[in-house]
Amino acid sequence: MEQETGVKSLRNKEKSKQKFLDAVEKILHTKGFSGLKVNDIAHTAGLDKKLIYNYFGGKDGLIDEYIRSQDFWSNIKDNSAETLVNDGGKTFCKTMLLSQFDYIFKNKNTQKILLWGLIENRKSLKKLANDREENGARLFEGLTDPYFKENAKRYRAIIALLISGIYYLDIYATTNDATFCGLDLKSAAGRTEIENAISFLIDKSYE
């Protein structure tokens, strides 16, 4: 009975935490970052605001967890690449970049977080950038650096350009009606051209 009570309590806690994270997402969508007030978050979640401090240590901790949950590269695990080491990480990198291109295009709140990171000096956003870099460093060191050896930094530079290009093109596509370099990035045909270009550039890097 004691064990069942503990399991139920844990489930309730996880459900409550998710309600707070969902509330942050809803407020971001409707009011933007300025609307992220403790009382508003608690009201939207339908829970006591004290739980924000109990579960997350405060509003900042809640926002930090939400930001991490939305970041593509921070959620890539090292063991995702274990079966792809034989090709020097080519398949893995290509798959991740194409997945990122699709993920960011569909996730408006992730786009807002990326823009937020460019215009606001916030500890959680700096920590996110540092965590992303650390995660990326492990992937480079375990996969691509051993393959490229003395050209490892050049490959990292290529990936940096591809990732930043993906960020920009996805945000551009969802905030403008204009084409980019004559490509309609909202259409399946236009996005396929970008995907083909990503694959082409990765393939050429490994030749």
Side-chain angles (χ1 to χ4, degrees):
M1 180 66 72
E2 217 173 283
Q3 186 175 1
E4 289 179 5
T5 302
V7 171
K8 186 177 180 181
S9 177
L10 181 61
R11 285 176 181 168
N12 288 338
K13 178 180 178 180
E14 292 305 313
K15 285 181 180 179
S16 295
K17 288 179 70 174
Q18 189 57 53
K19 284 183 178 180
F20 281 123
L21 292 169
D22 291 343
V24 169
E25 181 165 312
K26 184 175 181 179
I27 291 171
L28 279 176
H29 183 69
T30 56
K31 299 180 180 179
F33 295 106
S34 61
L36 291 173
K37 313 293 185 184
V38 170
N39 289 335
D40 291 342
I41 294 170
H43 177 74
T44 302
L47 297 167
D48 191 326
K49 67 181 180 181
K50 291 179 181 177
L51 293 177
I52 294 176
Y53 299 92
N54 292 342
Y55 295 158
F56 304 98
K59 184 184 75 171
D60 286 345
L62 169 59
I63 295 174
D64 289 353
E65 185 159 333
Y66 175 77
I67 288 173
R68 282 194 301 273
S69 74
Q70 297 297 302
D71 184 63
F72 181 85
W73 288 101
S74 293
N75 290 293
I76 301 299
K77 306 300 181 185
D78 295 348
N79 56 13
S80 301
E82 286 177 359
T83 60
L84 302 172
V85 174
N86 291 336
D87 67 354
K90 181 172 78 169
T91 303
F92 176 78
C93 290
K94 189 185 295 187
T95 300
M96 290 302 100
L97 289 171
L98 293 174
S99 296
Q100 183 196 35
F101 184 54
D102 183 60
Y103 176 83
I104 294 176
F105 179 67
K106 294 177 178 177
N107 195 321
K108 299 292 179 64
N109 283 334
T110 296
Q111 295 176 24
K112 290 179 182 178
I113 289 168
L114 289 170
L115 290 172
W116 195 21
L118 293 175
I119 62 177
E120 185 165 330
N121 184 20
R122 182 181 174 83
K123 286 183 180 179
S124 60
L125 293 168
K126 285 185 177 180
K127 187 176 186 306
L128 173 65
N130 291 335
D131 289 346
R132 187 189 296 137
E133 279 296 297
E134 289 176 7
N135 202 20
R138 288 193 294 271
L139 293 172
F140 282 126
E141 290 163 6
L143 279 174
T144 60
D145 287 359
Y147 180 87
F148 285 98
K149 298 177 182 177
E150 67 273 9
N151 291 319
K153 287 187 177 180
R154 182 176 298 173
Y155 182 73
R156 289 188 182 210
I158 291 170
I159 294 297
L161 289 171
L162 287 173
I163 291 174
S164 58
I166 286 170
Y167 288 162
Y168 182 81
L169 291 176
D170 274 336
I171 293 173
Y172 185 89
T174 55
T175 55
N176 292 277
D177 291 327
T179 59
F180 195 92
C181 291
L183 298 173
D184 180 0
L185 299 177
K186 291 182 179 178
S187 71
R191 295 189 67 76
T192 296
E193 290 297 336
I194 299 296
E195 291 167 354
N196 290 339
I198 291 170
S199 296
F200 172 80
L201 290 169
I202 293 295
D203 287 338
K204 285 297 180 183
S205 298
Y206 277 82
E207 289 180 0

